[in-house]
Amino acid sequence: MAKGNTNRIDELLASVTTDLMGDGQATLQDNSIRVERLLLEMVRPDPVQPRRVLPEPIHLRFHNNHVTPTQALRELVQIVQIAARQRGRPFNSVLELLPKADDEHEEETAVNLSPEEQLLHDLVNLAVTIRDDGQVNPLTVVDVSQGVTRLFRIETGERRYWATWLLRDFISNYTGDGMIPCIIIPERQSSVFRQAKENTARSGLTAVALARQAALLLLTVHGYEIPAYAVGNDFYRQAPLSI
């Protein structure tokens, strides 16, 4: 991506103001906003989320309902096992990805991690933190329930969602109840701008993810219908170019 394009994207993201997001304090005072512990099975990531937690092929397979959350993570673990074995770092348990306290080469090893290894390492580290300290920050989810079927779409906090699944299904001695704390927002109050603020506040947003984020904001501002299913990069290319 050209440097000029990156700067324009940064300017667009920086322009996401309180006016665009709405009055945050008023939102928090809205009686329709509530905090609940939800079953993991009732929560789903946003398929159009510009930041991809899982590798793109797994992301698409998951959102097209070809794999379950557990199967998606198993695919990720298998990919990382292959990459780690090729680099002379085989492992059986995901906990082996975490450095030992007396590992003098921890920093050097981290530099040489493949992107998939780094991703799984970060998710395992987050999962262990949730296990040991509890989940301090709830997810923000949008209530998209239909009839008696309760369903919630993640607005912010997808990494915590996947870390909790990882903790439940891939780390031994899990003692949780399969639930996750969430701030529930009515669908009419969902905001891609709030999601953008969360994304840009976190580290590791790639140039591609930044481009997706800018495109999603532009599409929203120009009244495009944002789908509720997984999309490829062609969807984001529809964004008007008048940045």
Side-chain angles (χ1 to χ4, degrees):
M1 179 180 296
K3 188 176 188 302
N5 288 341
T6 302
N7 290 339
R8 287 192 295 170
I9 290 170
D10 291 341
E11 290 170 4
L12 174 67
L13 293 174
S15 71
V16 179
T17 63
T18 303
D19 291 337
L20 287 172
M21 294 174 62
D23 188 337
Q25 185 173 0
T27 299
L28 290 176
Q29 292 174 348
D30 190 322
N31 291 332
S32 62
I33 304 294
R34 62 193 190 278
V35 179
E36 289 187 19
R37 289 176 56 79
L38 301 173
L39 284 170
L40 274 171
E41 289 81 359
M42 294 165 51
V43 179
R44 294 280 294 187
D46 182 354
V48 193
Q49 160 70 268
R51 177 194 288 272
R52 301 288 194 258
V53 174
L54 300 179
E56 188 76 7
I58 302 178
H59 168 88
L60 293 173
R61 283 169 52 75
F62 169 71
H63 283 291
N64 287 325
N65 296 315
H66 294 159
V67 293
T68 65
T70 301
Q71 291 169 335
L73 284 173
R74 185 174 294 115
E75 287 188 15
L76 174 62
V77 171
Q78 290 171 346
I79 290 172
V80 174
Q81 284 180 317
I82 293 172
R85 189 180 302 116
Q86 291 173 340
R87 291 166 172 78
R89 296 188 293 266
F91 67 92
N92 293 313
S93 167
V94 294
L95 289 176
E96 295 175 35
L97 291 170
L98 298 182
K100 297 180 177 59
D102 57 351
D103 188 353
E104 298 178 356
H105 304 290
E106 175 184 344
E107 184 175 348
E108 178 182 352
T109 302
V111 170
N112 294 326
L113 292 178
S114 68
E116 293 81 9
E117 286 178 288
Q118 188 65 57
L119 166 62
L120 187 55
H121 172 278
D122 292 345
L123 287 178
V124 173
N125 190 56
L126 180 55
V128 170
T129 300
I130 292 172
R131 180 194 65 187
D132 295 343
D133 302 329
Q135 186 164 315
V136 177
N137 297 318
L139 280 68
T140 302
V141 300
V142 179
D143 189 345
V144 291
S145 301
Q146 296 183 351
V148 296
T149 303
R150 299 191 72 198
L151 186 63
F152 302 87
R153 185 184 68 241
I154 297 173
E155 188 175 83
T156 64
E158 184 177 341
R159 288 181 70 254
R160 279 162 273 163
Y161 166 86
W162 287 113
T164 304
W165 272 106
L166 192 70
L167 176 60
R168 197 185 83 165
D169 291 349
F170 292 86
I171 296 178
S172 58
N173 301 319
Y174 172 71
T175 58
D177 56 6
M179 304 187 81
I180 191 166
C182 299
I183 299 172
I184 302 174
I185 298 174
E187 189 169 15
R188 67 182 183 278
Q189 293 184 17
S190 65
S191 171
V192 296
F193 298 102
R194 184 165 49 240
Q195 186 181 74
K197 275 293 190 182
E198 172 80 5
N199 280 340
T200 54
R202 304 293 180 182
S203 61
L205 199 64
T206 66
V208 173
L210 274 171
R212 290 194 196 108
Q213 184 70 84
L216 186 61
L217 295 178
L218 283 169
L219 289 167
T220 301
V221 168
H222 286 270
Y224 282 69
E225 182 177 354
I226 307 302
Y229 50 83
V231 296
N233 288 334
D234 285 345
F235 167 76
Y236 302 99
R237 292 191 184 103
Q238 299 178 87
L241 299 178
S242 55
I243 300 180

